[in-house]
mmCIF file of all heavy atoms in Angstrom:
data_model
loop_
_atom_site.group_PDB
_atom_site.id
_atom_site.type_symbol
_atom_site.label_atom_id
_atom_site.label_comp_id
_atom_site.label_asym_id
_atom_site.label_seq_id
_atom_site.Cartn_x
_atom_site.Cartn_y
_atom_site.Cartn_z
ATOM 1 N N ASN A 1 11.468 -40.370 2.994
ATOM 2 C CA ASN A 1 10.237 -40.636 2.253
ATOM 3 C C ASN A 1 10.109 -42.102 1.857
ATOM 4 O O ASN A 1 9.003 -42.642 1.797
ATOM 5 C CB ASN A 1 10.164 -39.754 1.006
ATOM 6 C CG ASN A 1 9.842 -38.311 1.345
ATOM 7 O OD1 ASN A 1 9.607 -37.972 2.496
ATOM 8 N ND2 ASN A 1 9.849 -37.455 0.346
ATOM 9 N N ILE A 2 11.240 -42.763 1.565
ATOM 10 C CA ILE A 2 11.183 -44.184 1.223
ATOM 11 C C ILE A 2 10.718 -44.998 2.427
ATOM 12 O O ILE A 2 9.883 -45.908 2.301
ATOM 13 C CB ILE A 2 12.550 -44.689 0.725
ATOM 14 C CG1 ILE A 2 12.931 -43.991 -0.579
ATOM 15 C CG2 ILE A 2 12.521 -46.198 0.520
ATOM 16 C CD1 ILE A 2 12.013 -44.308 -1.736
ATOM 17 N N ALA A 3 11.229 -44.671 3.606
ATOM 18 C CA ALA A 3 10.782 -45.356 4.822
ATOM 19 C C ALA A 3 9.293 -45.131 5.049
ATOM 20 O O ALA A 3 8.568 -46.046 5.466
ATOM 21 C CB ALA A 3 11.584 -44.860 6.032
ATOM 22 N N ASP A 4 8.809 -43.924 4.754
ATOM 23 C CA ASP A 4 7.393 -43.615 4.949
ATOM 24 C C ASP A 4 6.512 -44.397 3.985
ATOM 25 O O ASP A 4 5.451 -44.905 4.357
ATOM 26 C CB ASP A 4 7.153 -42.113 4.783
ATOM 27 C CG ASP A 4 7.816 -41.295 5.878
ATOM 28 O OD1 ASP A 4 8.135 -41.879 6.933
ATOM 29 O OD2 ASP A 4 8.030 -40.085 5.672
ATOM 30 N N VAL A 5 6.929 -44.501 2.725
ATOM 31 C CA VAL A 5 6.162 -45.279 1.748
ATOM 32 C C VAL A 5 6.131 -46.751 2.154
ATOM 33 O O VAL A 5 5.108 -47.430 2.007
ATOM 34 C CB VAL A 5 6.750 -45.116 0.333
ATOM 35 C CG1 VAL A 5 6.112 -46.097 -0.645
ATOM 36 C CG2 VAL A 5 6.547 -43.688 -0.165
ATOM 37 N N LEU A 6 7.237 -47.238 2.697
ATOM 38 C CA LEU A 6 7.317 -48.643 3.089
ATOM 39 C C LEU A 6 6.507 -48.962 4.333
ATOM 40 O O LEU A 6 5.908 -50.043 4.444
ATOM 41 C CB LEU A 6 8.776 -49.041 3.332
ATOM 42 C CG LEU A 6 9.662 -49.219 2.100
ATOM 43 C CD1 LEU A 6 11.116 -49.371 2.518
ATOM 44 C CD2 LEU A 6 9.210 -50.418 1.280
ATOM 45 N N HIS A 7 6.446 -48.017 5.299
ATOM 46 C CA HIS A 7 5.955 -48.390 6.626
ATOM 47 C C HIS A 7 4.810 -47.542 7.179
ATOM 48 O O HIS A 7 4.069 -48.030 8.034
ATOM 49 C CB HIS A 7 7.112 -48.338 7.627
ATOM 50 C CG HIS A 7 8.264 -49.234 7.271
ATOM 51 N ND1 HIS A 7 8.147 -50.606 7.216
ATOM 52 C CD2 HIS A 7 9.552 -48.949 6.927
ATOM 53 C CE1 HIS A 7 9.314 -51.137 6.874
ATOM 54 N NE2 HIS A 7 10.177 -50.169 6.681
ATOM 55 N N LEU A 8 4.651 -46.311 6.738
ATOM 56 C CA LEU A 8 3.614 -45.459 7.330
ATOM 57 C C LEU A 8 2.245 -45.771 6.734
ATOM 58 O O LEU A 8 2.088 -45.808 5.513
ATOM 59 C CB LEU A 8 3.928 -43.980 7.113
ATOM 60 C CG LEU A 8 4.835 -43.287 8.118
ATOM 61 C CD1 LEU A 8 4.876 -41.790 7.835
ATOM 62 C CD2 LEU A 8 4.395 -43.534 9.551
ATOM 63 N N LYS A 9 1.253 -45.976 7.599
ATOM 64 C CA LYS A 9 -0.106 -46.207 7.128
ATOM 65 C C LYS A 9 -0.632 -44.937 6.461
ATOM 66 O O LYS A 9 -0.459 -43.838 6.963
ATOM 67 C CB LYS A 9 -1.016 -46.587 8.295
ATOM 68 C CG LYS A 9 -0.668 -47.926 8.946
ATOM 69 C CD LYS A 9 -1.605 -48.238 10.099
ATOM 70 C CE LYS A 9 -1.272 -49.586 10.722
ATOM 71 N NZ LYS A 9 -2.155 -49.904 11.867
ATOM 72 N N GLY A 10 -1.288 -45.118 5.334
ATOM 73 C CA GLY A 10 -1.913 -43.982 4.670
ATOM 74 C C GLY A 10 -1.025 -43.250 3.690
ATOM 75 O O GLY A 10 -1.487 -42.323 3.025
ATOM 76 N N VAL A 11 0.257 -43.610 3.568
ATOM 77 C CA VAL A 11 1.134 -42.967 2.588
ATOM 78 C C VAL A 11 1.115 -43.793 1.309
ATOM 79 O O VAL A 11 1.550 -44.943 1.303
ATOM 80 C CB VAL A 11 2.573 -42.828 3.119
ATOM 81 C CG1 VAL A 11 3.488 -42.288 2.033
ATOM 82 C CG2 VAL A 11 2.605 -41.906 4.333
ATOM 83 N N ASP A 12 0.604 -43.211 0.220
ATOM 84 C CA ASP A 12 0.458 -43.941 -1.036
ATOM 85 C C ASP A 12 1.627 -43.715 -1.988
ATOM 86 O O ASP A 12 2.097 -44.650 -2.629
ATOM 87 C CB ASP A 12 -0.845 -43.527 -1.738
ATOM 88 C CG ASP A 12 -2.064 -43.870 -0.908
ATOM 89 O OD1 ASP A 12 -2.259 -45.071 -0.632
ATOM 90 O OD2 ASP A 12 -2.806 -42.951 -0.525
ATOM 91 N N LEU A 13 2.069 -42.465 -2.093
ATOM 92 C CA LEU A 13 3.127 -42.099 -3.027
ATOM 93 C C LEU A 13 4.207 -41.314 -2.296
ATOM 94 O O LEU A 13 3.957 -40.733 -1.237
ATOM 95 C CB LEU A 13 2.572 -41.236 -4.164
ATOM 96 C CG LEU A 13 1.408 -41.792 -4.972
ATOM 97 C CD1 LEU A 13 0.868 -40.720 -5.914
ATOM 98 C CD2 LEU A 13 1.847 -43.014 -5.759
ATOM 99 N N GLY A 14 5.396 -41.287 -2.883
ATOM 100 C CA GLY A 14 6.478 -40.509 -2.293
ATOM 101 C C GLY A 14 7.421 -39.998 -3.356
ATOM 102 O O GLY A 14 7.557 -40.585 -4.441
ATOM 103 N N LEU A 15 8.090 -38.884 -3.056
ATOM 104 C CA LEU A 15 9.118 -38.325 -3.922
ATOM 105 C C LEU A 15 10.479 -38.665 -3.335
ATOM 106 O O LEU A 15 10.724 -38.444 -2.149
ATOM 107 C CB LEU A 15 8.947 -36.813 -4.042
ATOM 108 C CG LEU A 15 7.713 -36.360 -4.839
ATOM 109 C CD1 LEU A 15 7.369 -34.922 -4.533
ATOM 110 C CD2 LEU A 15 7.957 -36.543 -6.328
ATOM 111 N N SER A 16 11.355 -39.225 -4.158
ATOM 112 C CA SER A 16 12.688 -39.600 -3.687
ATOM 113 C C SER A 16 13.696 -39.375 -4.802
ATOM 114 O O SER A 16 13.401 -38.692 -5.793
ATOM 115 C CB SER A 16 12.692 -41.056 -3.207
ATOM 116 O OG SER A 16 13.913 -41.359 -2.549
ATOM 117 N N ARG A 17 14.909 -39.949 -4.625
ATOM 118 C CA ARG A 17 15.973 -39.738 -5.597
ATOM 119 C C ARG A 17 16.650 -41.047 -5.957
ATOM 120 O O ARG A 17 16.685 -41.989 -5.164
ATOM 121 C CB ARG A 17 17.004 -38.759 -5.032
ATOM 122 C CG ARG A 17 16.497 -37.347 -4.950
ATOM 123 C CD ARG A 17 17.640 -36.370 -5.087
ATOM 124 N NE ARG A 17 18.502 -36.361 -3.935
ATOM 125 C CZ ARG A 17 18.358 -35.524 -2.905
ATOM 126 N NH1 ARG A 17 17.366 -34.671 -2.894
ATOM 127 N NH2 ARG A 17 19.205 -35.566 -1.911
ATOM 128 N N THR A 18 17.235 -41.068 -7.137
ATOM 129 C CA THR A 18 17.863 -42.289 -7.633
ATOM 130 C C THR A 18 19.056 -42.709 -6.788
ATOM 131 O O THR A 18 19.283 -43.902 -6.584
ATOM 132 C CB THR A 18 18.304 -42.103 -9.094
ATOM 133 O OG1 THR A 18 19.149 -40.940 -9.194
ATOM 134 C CG2 THR A 18 17.092 -41.914 -9.993
ATOM 135 N N ASP A 19 19.859 -41.751 -6.289
ATOM 136 C CA ASP A 19 21.026 -42.135 -5.481
ATOM 137 C C ASP A 19 20.602 -42.744 -4.151
ATOM 138 O O ASP A 19 21.218 -43.696 -3.660
ATOM 139 C CB ASP A 19 21.975 -40.956 -5.279
ATOM 140 C CG ASP A 19 21.353 -39.788 -4.528
ATOM 141 O OD1 ASP A 19 20.095 -39.707 -4.467
ATOM 142 O OD2 ASP A 19 22.104 -38.935 -4.010
ATOM 143 N N VAL A 20 19.519 -42.214 -3.564
ATOM 144 C CA VAL A 20 19.002 -42.758 -2.304
ATOM 145 C C VAL A 20 18.520 -44.190 -2.509
ATOM 146 O O VAL A 20 18.849 -45.102 -1.724
ATOM 147 C CB VAL A 20 17.852 -41.886 -1.765
ATOM 148 C CG1 VAL A 20 17.153 -42.565 -0.596
ATOM 149 C CG2 VAL A 20 18.375 -40.513 -1.344
ATOM 150 N N MET A 21 17.761 -44.403 -3.572
ATOM 151 C CA MET A 21 17.193 -45.730 -3.805
ATOM 152 C C MET A 21 18.273 -46.756 -4.137
ATOM 153 O O MET A 21 18.218 -47.905 -3.693
ATOM 154 C CB MET A 21 16.139 -45.643 -4.908
ATOM 155 C CG MET A 21 14.938 -44.789 -4.501
ATOM 156 S SD MET A 21 13.727 -44.535 -5.819
ATOM 157 C CE MET A 21 13.100 -46.191 -6.034
ATOM 158 N N SER A 22 19.271 -46.349 -4.898
ATOM 159 C CA SER A 22 20.380 -47.259 -5.205
ATOM 160 C C SER A 22 21.139 -47.627 -3.934
ATOM 161 O O SER A 22 21.534 -48.786 -3.745
ATOM 162 C CB SER A 22 21.330 -46.606 -6.221
ATOM 163 O OG SER A 22 20.674 -46.371 -7.443
ATOM 164 N N HIS A 23 21.320 -46.665 -3.068
ATOM 165 C CA HIS A 23 22.009 -46.917 -1.797
ATOM 166 C C HIS A 23 21.219 -47.891 -0.927
ATOM 167 O O HIS A 23 21.788 -48.836 -0.362
ATOM 168 C CB HIS A 23 22.200 -45.600 -1.053
ATOM 169 C CG HIS A 23 22.673 -45.753 0.354
ATOM 170 N ND1 HIS A 23 23.993 -45.983 0.684
ATOM 171 C CD2 HIS A 23 21.989 -45.730 1.539
ATOM 172 C CE1 HIS A 23 24.108 -46.085 1.998
ATOM 173 N NE2 HIS A 23 22.920 -45.936 2.531
ATOM 174 N N LEU A 24 19.922 -47.700 -0.835
ATOM 175 C CA LEU A 24 19.091 -48.574 -0.005
ATOM 176 C C LEU A 24 19.052 -49.997 -0.559
ATOM 177 O O LEU A 24 19.000 -50.963 0.201
ATOM 178 C CB LEU A 24 17.676 -48.000 0.098
ATOM 179 C CG LEU A 24 17.552 -46.668 0.834
ATOM 180 C CD1 LEU A 24 16.124 -46.140 0.751
ATOM 181 C CD2 LEU A 24 17.975 -46.816 2.298
ATOM 182 N N ALA A 25 19.084 -50.112 -1.875
ATOM 183 C CA ALA A 25 19.105 -51.442 -2.483
ATOM 184 C C ALA A 25 20.415 -52.158 -2.183
ATOM 185 O O ALA A 25 20.445 -53.386 -2.005
ATOM 186 C CB ALA A 25 18.896 -51.336 -3.988
ATOM 187 N N ALA A 26 21.507 -51.407 -2.111
ATOM 188 C CA ALA A 26 22.823 -52.005 -1.883
ATOM 189 C C ALA A 26 23.075 -52.332 -0.414
ATOM 190 O O ALA A 26 23.796 -53.283 -0.095
ATOM 191 C CB ALA A 26 23.916 -51.069 -2.399
ATOM 192 N N THR A 27 22.461 -51.566 0.495
ATOM 193 C CA THR A 27 22.767 -51.716 1.921
ATOM 194 C C THR A 27 21.686 -52.432 2.725
ATOM 195 O O THR A 27 21.946 -52.859 3.850
ATOM 196 C CB THR A 27 22.983 -50.329 2.557
ATOM 197 O OG1 THR A 27 21.752 -49.565 2.436
ATOM 198 C CG2 THR A 27 24.110 -49.581 1.863
ATOM 199 N N ASN A 28 20.462 -52.532 2.183
ATOM 200 C CA ASN A 28 19.329 -53.140 2.902
ATOM 201 C C ASN A 28 19.008 -52.406 4.207
ATOM 202 O O ASN A 28 18.506 -53.005 5.156
ATOM 203 C CB ASN A 28 19.594 -54.622 3.199
ATOM 204 C CG ASN A 28 19.648 -55.463 1.940
ATOM 205 O OD1 ASN A 28 18.981 -55.170 0.965
ATOM 206 N ND2 ASN A 28 20.463 -56.512 1.969
ATOM 207 N N GLU A 29 19.273 -51.112 4.247
ATOM 208 C CA GLU A 29 19.009 -50.339 5.470
ATOM 209 C C GLU A 29 17.528 -50.351 5.846
ATOM 210 O O GLU A 29 17.187 -50.284 7.028
ATOM 211 C CB GLU A 29 19.485 -48.894 5.289
ATOM 212 C CG GLU A 29 20.994 -48.743 5.329
ATOM 213 C CD GLU A 29 21.432 -47.297 5.191
ATOM 214 O OE1 GLU A 29 20.584 -46.393 5.404
ATOM 215 O OE2 GLU A 29 22.604 -47.059 4.877
ATOM 216 N N PHE A 30 16.662 -50.413 4.868
ATOM 217 C CA PHE A 30 15.220 -50.456 5.139
ATOM 218 C C PHE A 30 14.655 -51.851 4.904
ATOM 219 O O PHE A 30 13.469 -52.020 4.652
ATOM 220 C CB PHE A 30 14.475 -49.440 4.267
ATOM 221 C CG PHE A 30 14.758 -48.004 4.624
ATOM 222 C CD1 PHE A 30 14.439 -46.982 3.756
ATOM 223 C CD2 PHE A 30 15.360 -47.671 5.834
ATOM 224 C CE1 PHE A 30 14.690 -45.659 4.083
ATOM 225 C CE2 PHE A 30 15.633 -46.353 6.168
ATOM 226 C CZ PHE A 30 15.299 -45.336 5.294
ATOM 227 N N GLY A 31 15.502 -52.853 5.008
ATOM 228 C CA GLY A 31 15.075 -54.226 4.805
ATOM 229 C C GLY A 31 15.449 -54.735 3.431
ATOM 230 O O GLY A 31 15.755 -53.965 2.514
ATOM 231 N N GLY A 32 15.457 -56.050 3.296
ATOM 232 C CA GLY A 32 15.840 -56.670 2.039
ATOM 233 C C GLY A 32 14.775 -56.574 0.965
ATOM 234 O O GLY A 32 13.633 -56.199 1.228
ATOM 235 N N ASN A 33 15.169 -56.882 -0.256
ATOM 236 C CA ASN A 33 14.276 -56.924 -1.413
ATOM 237 C C ASN A 33 13.503 -55.618 -1.612
ATOM 238 O O ASN A 33 12.312 -55.616 -1.932
ATOM 239 C CB ASN A 33 13.283 -58.090 -1.290
ATOM 240 C CG ASN A 33 12.492 -58.311 -2.584
ATOM 241 O OD1 ASN A 33 13.014 -58.095 -3.672
ATOM 242 N ND2 ASN A 33 11.245 -58.724 -2.452
ATOM 243 N N ILE A 34 14.171 -54.494 -1.428
ATOM 244 C CA ILE A 34 13.468 -53.223 -1.579
ATOM 245 C C ILE A 34 13.021 -53.000 -3.030
ATOM 246 O O ILE A 34 12.005 -52.342 -3.288
ATOM 247 C CB ILE A 34 14.352 -52.050 -1.100
ATOM 248 C CG1 ILE A 34 13.501 -50.770 -0.990
ATOM 249 C CG2 ILE A 34 15.545 -51.837 -2.014
ATOM 250 C CD1 ILE A 34 14.209 -49.629 -0.310
ATOM 251 N N LYS A 35 13.747 -53.590 -3.979
ATOM 252 C CA LYS A 35 13.343 -53.446 -5.383
ATOM 253 C C LYS A 35 12.047 -54.202 -5.682
ATOM 254 O O LYS A 35 11.377 -53.907 -6.678
ATOM 255 C CB LYS A 35 14.454 -53.940 -6.307
ATOM 256 C CG LYS A 35 15.666 -53.013 -6.348
ATOM 257 C CD LYS A 35 16.671 -53.465 -7.398
ATOM 258 C CE LYS A 35 17.822 -52.488 -7.496
ATOM 259 N NZ LYS A 35 18.804 -52.871 -8.543
ATOM 260 N N GLY A 36 11.710 -55.163 -4.829
ATOM 261 C CA GLY A 36 10.443 -55.861 -4.977
ATOM 262 C C GLY A 36 9.327 -55.219 -4.187
ATOM 263 O O GLY A 36 8.146 -55.507 -4.417
ATOM 264 N N ARG A 37 9.666 -54.319 -3.272
ATOM 265 C CA ARG A 37 8.662 -53.679 -2.411
ATOM 266 C C ARG A 37 8.307 -52.270 -2.854
ATOM 267 O O ARG A 37 7.281 -51.726 -2.440
ATOM 268 C CB ARG A 37 9.177 -53.653 -0.972
ATOM 269 C CG ARG A 37 9.364 -55.053 -0.373
ATOM 270 C CD ARG A 37 10.415 -55.066 0.738
ATOM 271 N NE ARG A 37 10.062 -54.179 1.826
ATOM 272 C CZ ARG A 37 10.958 -53.604 2.642
ATOM 273 N NH1 ARG A 37 12.247 -53.818 2.444
ATOM 274 N NH2 ARG A 37 10.562 -52.829 3.617
ATOM 275 N N ILE A 38 9.162 -51.677 -3.685
ATOM 276 C CA ILE A 38 8.943 -50.309 -4.172
ATOM 277 C C ILE A 38 8.885 -50.335 -5.694
ATOM 278 O O ILE A 38 9.709 -50.969 -6.356
ATOM 279 C CB ILE A 38 10.080 -49.375 -3.721
ATOM 280 C CG1 ILE A 38 10.017 -49.127 -2.212
ATOM 281 C CG2 ILE A 38 10.018 -48.044 -4.466
ATOM 282 C CD1 ILE A 38 8.906 -48.192 -1.766
ATOM 283 N N THR A 39 7.901 -49.650 -6.266
ATOM 284 C CA THR A 39 7.852 -49.459 -7.715
ATOM 285 C C THR A 39 7.974 -47.968 -8.018
ATOM 286 O O THR A 39 7.646 -47.121 -7.172
ATOM 287 C CB THR A 39 6.534 -49.981 -8.306
ATOM 288 O OG1 THR A 39 5.431 -49.240 -7.737
ATOM 289 C CG2 THR A 39 6.345 -51.462 -8.022
ATOM 290 N N TYR A 40 8.422 -47.650 -9.207
ATOM 291 C CA TYR A 40 8.479 -46.234 -9.588
ATOM 292 C C TYR A 40 7.441 -45.972 -10.679
ATOM 293 O O TYR A 40 7.150 -46.838 -11.508
ATOM 294 C CB TYR A 40 9.884 -45.826 -10.028
ATOM 295 C CG TYR A 40 10.305 -46.247 -11.413
ATOM 296 C CD1 TYR A 40 10.238 -45.361 -12.491
ATOM 297 C CD2 TYR A 40 10.782 -47.534 -11.650
ATOM 298 C CE1 TYR A 40 10.628 -45.755 -13.764
ATOM 299 C CE2 TYR A 40 11.177 -47.925 -12.917
ATOM 300 C CZ TYR A 40 11.102 -47.031 -13.971
ATOM 301 O OH TYR A 40 11.491 -47.413 -15.229
ATOM 302 N N ILE A 41 6.876 -44.790 -10.620
ATOM 303 C CA ILE A 41 5.896 -44.367 -11.615
ATOM 304 C C ILE A 41 6.587 -43.622 -12.755
ATOM 305 O O ILE A 41 6.325 -43.873 -13.925
ATOM 306 C CB ILE A 41 4.811 -43.493 -10.963
ATOM 307 C CG1 ILE A 41 4.021 -44.333 -9.959
ATOM 308 C CG2 ILE A 41 3.885 -42.879 -12.012
ATOM 309 C CD1 ILE A 41 3.116 -43.534 -9.067
ATOM 310 N N ALA A 42 7.501 -42.716 -12.381
ATOM 311 C CA ALA A 42 8.238 -41.970 -13.396
ATOM 312 C C ALA A 42 9.429 -41.267 -12.773
ATOM 313 O O ALA A 42 9.400 -40.901 -11.598
ATOM 314 C CB ALA A 42 7.338 -40.940 -14.076
ATOM 315 N N LYS A 43 10.487 -41.124 -13.571
ATOM 316 C CA LYS A 43 11.550 -40.176 -13.236
ATOM 317 C C LYS A 43 11.039 -38.807 -13.660
ATOM 318 O O LYS A 43 10.647 -38.631 -14.814
ATOM 319 C CB LYS A 43 12.840 -40.536 -13.961
ATOM 320 C CG LYS A 43 13.508 -41.813 -13.459
ATOM 321 C CD LYS A 43 14.740 -42.163 -14.275
ATOM 322 C CE LYS A 43 15.835 -41.133 -14.110
ATOM 323 N NZ LYS A 43 17.072 -41.502 -14.850
ATOM 324 N N ILE A 44 11.032 -37.860 -12.745
ATOM 325 C CA ILE A 44 10.300 -36.634 -13.054
ATOM 326 C C ILE A 44 11.169 -35.405 -13.339
ATOM 327 O O ILE A 44 10.769 -34.546 -14.124
ATOM 328 C CB ILE A 44 9.279 -36.310 -11.947
ATOM 329 C CG1 ILE A 44 9.913 -36.373 -10.559
ATOM 330 C CG2 ILE A 44 8.099 -37.255 -12.032
ATOM 331 C CD1 ILE A 44 8.962 -36.003 -9.449
ATOM 332 N N TYR A 45 12.341 -35.284 -12.732
ATOM 333 C CA TYR A 45 13.182 -34.126 -13.041
ATOM 334 C C TYR A 45 14.545 -34.323 -12.375
ATOM 335 O O TYR A 45 14.795 -35.352 -11.741
ATOM 336 C CB TYR A 45 12.538 -32.815 -12.573
ATOM 337 C CG TYR A 45 12.377 -32.695 -11.075
ATOM 338 C CD1 TYR A 45 13.353 -32.077 -10.292
ATOM 339 C CD2 TYR A 45 11.243 -33.177 -10.437
ATOM 340 C CE1 TYR A 45 13.205 -31.967 -8.913
ATOM 341 C CE2 TYR A 45 11.084 -33.063 -9.068
ATOM 342 C CZ TYR A 45 12.072 -32.459 -8.314
ATOM 343 O OH TYR A 45 11.924 -32.346 -6.958
#
């Protein structure tokens, strides 16, 4: 879902998890500066 929010046309929002996002920030698997390219609206559950 993070890859889809970053790259798929027409995808506005996505549901993901904190461990996934922390991993992507540490490894740059989806490109650098992911913390500047993704914002969060809320931790939901």
Side-chain angles (χ1 to χ4, degrees):
N1 286 356
I2 296 295
D4 293 341
V5 170
L6 286 170
H7 302 296
L8 274 187
K9 294 180 179 179
V11 174
D12 298 299
L13 305 172
L15 290 161
S16 190
R17 289 209 289 267
T18 55
D19 62 341
V20 170
M21 295 175 67
S22 297
H23 170 80
L24 294 175
T27 62
N28 293 329
E29 286 182 18
F30 291 164
N33 190 33
I34 192 170
K35 288 186 176 182
R37 296 154 60 207
I38 290 286
T39 62
Y40 77 99
I41 295 169
K43 290 177 66 177
I44 49 177
Y45 65 93

